[in-house]
Amino acid sequence: MEMKNNKITIRLSDETLKKCNEGMDITNCKVRNEFIEKAIEFYSGYVSAEVYSEFLSNVITESMKEIIKIKDAVKYQRRKD
């Protein structure tokens, strides 16, 4: 089943846009839309933690895996230099 994407307009402060761009680099998102969708998914899970504790646990686990990958990549790059 194809998911329909809705086109909307949002306004972000310079600081929030900077955080979005930095987050895209960290999460390997190719476009802002992808990062914003992931951020909304995460935050929705966070505020609903009492109801969705399993979701939050999975998000934390996946986040930790990504942090470890990034840390390992940085170590490897430093060794090459």
Side-chain angles (χ1 to χ4, degrees), residues 3 5 33-49 52 55-56 58-60 63:
M3 189 166 62
N5 288 328
N33 185 68
E34 181 183 5
F35 179 77
I36 291 170
E37 283 188 358
K38 285 183 177 186
I40 291 170
E41 286 289 325
F42 178 83
Y43 190 69
S44 293
Y46 175 77
V47 297
S48 303
Y52 298 108
F55 170 83
L56 189 56
N58 290 337
V59 168
I60 291 170
S63 296

Side-chain angles (χ1 to χ4, degrees), residues 8-10 15 20 27 35 37 47 54 74:
I8 63 167
T9 301
I10 61 170
E15 182 180 340
C20 181
T27 58
F35 179 77
E37 283 188 358
V47 297
E54 184 177 322
V74 169

Side-chain angles (χ1 to χ4, degrees), residues 2 7 12 15 18 21 28-29 35 38 43-44 48-51 53 55 59-60 63 66-67 71 73 75 77-78:
E2 188 175 323
K7 187 174 183 177
L12 302 173
E15 182 180 340
K18 181 180 176 186
N21 292 336
N28 295 320
C29 291
F35 179 77
K38 285 183 177 186
Y43 190 69
S44 293
S48 303
E50 289 180 15
V51 176
S53 62
F55 170 83
V59 168
I60 291 170
S63 296
E66 289 300 319
I67 289 168
K71 186 177 176 183
K75 277 184 184 178
Q77 186 63 36
R78 286 183 181 159

